[in-house]
Amino acid sequence: MLLKRTRTCGELRAAHAGERVILNGWVDTRRDLGGLIFIDLRDRYGITQVVFSPQDNARAHAAADALRGEYVIGVEGVVTNRSAANVNAKMATGEVEVRVHELQIYNAADTTPFEIVDDTKTNEDLRLKYRYLDLRRPSMQRNLILRSKATILVREYFDRHGFVEVETPVLMRSTPEGARDYLVPSRVNPGTFYALPQSPQTYKQILMVAGMDRYFQIVKCFRDEDLRADRQPEFTQIDVEMSFVDEIAVQEMTEGLISELLRETIGVEVALPLPRMTYQEGMTRYGSDKPDLRFDLAFTDFSDLVKDTEFRVFRQTVADGGAVVGFVVPGQGHLGRGMMDRLTEKAKNEAGANGLIYIKNMPGEVFSSVAKFVPEDVTAAMVRASGAAEGDLILILAGRKPDVYAQLGTLRLSVAQEFNLIDTTRNALLWVTDFPLLDFDPEEKRWVAMHHPFTSPKPEDLHLMDSDPGKVRARAYDLVMNGSEIGGGSIRIHDPAMQRKMFALLGIGEAEAQEKFGFLLDAFRFGAPPHGGLALGLDRIIMLLTGSRSLRDVIAFPKNQRAVSLMDNCPDVVDPRQLDELHIQLKPGL
RNA sequence: GGUCCGGUAGUUCAGUCGGUUAGAACGCUUGCCUGUCACGCAAGAGGUCGAGGGUUCGAGUCCCUUCCGGAUCGCCA
């Protein structure tokens, strides 16, 4: 018989003393004193101590002897104030306990493969296999609950601003460009395949042509690429598109959402508008298109200062069009040879640099690792240019552009971590703008879209489209938080001629463009409004809001690094009859 | 596909130079215990040292192969 609960395990306080209550939940811990049994009863709202005493009910006390961890039970009893000495200040419900008169054991539980505790050190594959146990841990429940609050807030926000949530197909056509598609065979149309959306990009643009004006969707996207701590094959986007807007309008709308999310979920206030930084500045000052601005370590370009020195690495690098760039590490000028050798190894192994040059700006002595080749006055000028204070260390790389920036950017992150320079209490949000429209793929020897093929070029760069496509900037923008890309978008092309031109630049011929994207080009012929939008990575945002180290901690049922779901063991082989129906024959050897 | 780290009790780990019966903590089982809250006390069970091969008188330890997990590079419009 069900003891139907009247209260949860998180809500009882001294004010409830005397109330007859029924609680349901899991046995968290058991403290059996023989004549007296204490059970911490847990549900997702909290933990309440319940007491089995022969004086209250001998039968219940006897039955409680059988209780073990993770048994699911119901108890009926009376809320009682604890004596002052027995109050547990560490528990929200620590002022009271429930003295039990009746116990129902709904379900016994085997000993769990790992303990249900918050600070678990258990291997992740075991946690994933027994995900239902892992999700009983309060920290995981907090993550899922925060995620739920966040998505409700997102819907409420966009509704308030006149957006319409429209569902787009999960079965769509496979398109060239971008990530590898997940394919779904069509039984009805032998030999043809759907693809799962990498994003609903074309649909939301079509919705703009349809006049929906303001669209959003919280939507699953799929990309068949290798996994990372912050990358899952299926992930959730907050997808947004607006008509008759420029980039500022999209960014302002997004900022409003993000600041509300931070305020309502973790109580953090963000100053708006968010800072903007061009891609160019991000790369040359921080070596990244998603700079982590929770710490400084901004770059100084020494190329002009050192281009005439005898030191070949400096002179030759600059002569070849490369750069000599460095950053100041505050207060680390005292580091010894061993540590500097270690940093040099990092620069080589992690960042891929050829070597590391450094200057220690110590009181009375400015030590340069290349003092033999670089005159003192040049070194002094470098110290001045860098803004280094006494006691600071300057790390310098020389190399080809743009590689040297990326290398120094990697070193910057590594050094920040090494010397604990990241202020984790801060939340550094910014927009990175003016991305290049195109990126040259040396393997395929062709231009590829840096954002996607529907991104509009900046009008002032249009004249470069034919002569120097790599120099054309896009009306694209990324939202960056703490060194993590949490969103990106652009003002789109809405002119069929421009869209054709873009396809042509990407090496997509007229025929292929018509075949793969004909519906979009057609749509643009029938009155397409100027439009733009962006997509936010919901999982990553929740990861940052909860301080999680992995995306897997904010997704209820994630895949491991091999894209396998360990709990239900998928993907898996299927019955040959299913393959027959789908007209699929496996390659020999599989 | 590359690089790095890891795999020993249910869990998290230790295991020295290759040498006796592979240990600890937590968990688990049993008993005792009426104010515990990381309860305590006592006793106990629990091991394919990821797998296979090799070197050796002898391998958890050394070598080779392989499997598995994680981080990362490539990849991710």
Side-chain angles (χ1 to χ4, degrees), chain A residues 209 521-528:
Chain A
V209 179
L521 293 169
D522 282 349
F524 286 172
R525 286 167 39 221
F526 294 106

mmCIF file of all heavy atoms in Angstrom, chain A residues 209 521-528:
data_model
loop_
_atom_site.group_PDB
_atom_site.id
_atom_site.type_symbol
_atom_site.label_atom_id
_atom_site.label_comp_id
_atom_site.label_asym_id
_atom_site.label_seq_id
_atom_site.Cartn_x
_atom_site.Cartn_y
_atom_site.Cartn_z
ATOM 1 N N VAL A 209 11.648 34.186 -44.685
ATOM 2 C CA VAL A 209 11.024 34.467 -45.977
ATOM 3 C C VAL A 209 9.508 34.292 -45.847
ATOM 4 O O VAL A 209 8.725 35.001 -46.486
ATOM 5 C CB VAL A 209 11.593 33.536 -47.077
ATOM 6 C CG1 VAL A 209 10.917 33.823 -48.419
ATOM 7 C CG2 VAL A 209 13.101 33.694 -47.192
ATOM 8 N N LEU A 521 17.433 29.219 -52.785
ATOM 9 C CA LEU A 521 17.607 30.209 -53.850
ATOM 10 C C LEU A 521 16.253 30.597 -54.425
ATOM 11 O O LEU A 521 16.003 31.768 -54.709
ATOM 12 C CB LEU A 521 18.520 29.642 -54.944
ATOM 13 C CG LEU A 521 19.972 29.412 -54.500
ATOM 14 C CD1 LEU A 521 20.741 28.596 -55.536
ATOM 15 C CD2 LEU A 521 20.673 30.740 -54.238
ATOM 16 N N ASP A 522 15.383 29.607 -54.576
ATOM 17 C CA ASP A 522 14.020 29.893 -55.034
ATOM 18 C C ASP A 522 13.333 30.854 -54.072
ATOM 19 O O ASP A 522 12.730 31.839 -54.480
ATOM 20 C CB ASP A 522 13.198 28.598 -55.112
ATOM 21 C CG ASP A 522 13.539 27.801 -56.364
ATOM 22 O OD1 ASP A 522 14.234 28.354 -57.241
ATOM 23 O OD2 ASP A 522 13.119 26.635 -56.446
ATOM 24 N N ALA A 523 13.429 30.533 -52.792
ATOM 25 C CA ALA A 523 12.746 31.336 -51.775
ATOM 26 C C ALA A 523 13.199 32.794 -51.843
ATOM 27 O O ALA A 523 12.394 33.715 -51.689
ATOM 28 C CB ALA A 523 13.001 30.764 -50.386
ATOM 29 N N PHE A 524 14.486 32.970 -52.076
ATOM 30 C CA PHE A 524 15.030 34.331 -52.125
ATOM 31 C C PHE A 524 14.482 35.124 -53.322
ATOM 32 O O PHE A 524 14.616 36.340 -53.366
ATOM 33 C CB PHE A 524 16.562 34.294 -52.195
ATOM 34 C CG PHE A 524 17.216 33.919 -50.889
ATOM 35 C CD1 PHE A 524 18.575 33.680 -50.824
ATOM 36 C CD2 PHE A 524 16.477 33.816 -49.712
ATOM 37 C CE1 PHE A 524 19.183 33.336 -49.625
ATOM 38 C CE2 PHE A 524 17.074 33.471 -48.510
ATOM 39 C CZ PHE A 524 18.430 33.228 -48.475
ATOM 40 N N ARG A 525 13.893 34.416 -54.309
ATOM 41 C CA ARG A 525 13.347 35.100 -55.480
ATOM 42 C C ARG A 525 11.958 35.664 -55.209
ATOM 43 O O ARG A 525 11.413 36.405 -56.007
ATOM 44 C CB ARG A 525 13.285 34.147 -56.677
ATOM 45 C CG ARG A 525 14.657 33.843 -57.299
ATOM 46 C CD ARG A 525 14.592 32.664 -58.260
ATOM 47 N NE ARG A 525 13.369 32.658 -59.048
ATOM 48 C CZ ARG A 525 12.655 31.570 -59.335
ATOM 49 N NH1 ARG A 525 13.068 30.391 -58.927
ATOM 50 N NH2 ARG A 525 11.558 31.671 -60.053
ATOM 51 N N PHE A 526 11.378 35.233 -54.079
ATOM 52 C CA PHE A 526 9.994 35.622 -53.834
ATOM 53 C C PHE A 526 9.845 36.578 -52.655
ATOM 54 O O PHE A 526 8.907 36.467 -51.871
ATOM 55 C CB PHE A 526 9.140 34.362 -53.598
ATOM 56 C CG PHE A 526 9.031 33.473 -54.805
ATOM 57 C CD1 PHE A 526 9.728 32.276 -54.869
ATOM 58 C CD2 PHE A 526 8.228 33.854 -55.879
ATOM 59 C CE1 PHE A 526 9.626 31.456 -55.976
ATOM 60 C CE2 PHE A 526 8.124 33.020 -56.998
ATOM 61 C CZ PHE A 526 8.832 31.823 -57.054
ATOM 62 N N GLY A 527 10.798 37.476 -52.509
ATOM 63 C CA GLY A 527 10.640 38.464 -51.458
ATOM 64 C C GLY A 527 11.218 38.016 -50.136
ATOM 65 O O GLY A 527 10.471 37.651 -49.226
ATOM 66 N N ALA A 528 12.545 38.013 -50.043
ATOM 67 C CA ALA A 528 13.206 37.615 -48.804
ATOM 68 C C ALA A 528 13.605 38.870 -48.025
ATOM 69 O O ALA A 528 14.277 39.739 -48.563
ATOM 70 C CB ALA A 528 14.438 36.765 -49.119
#
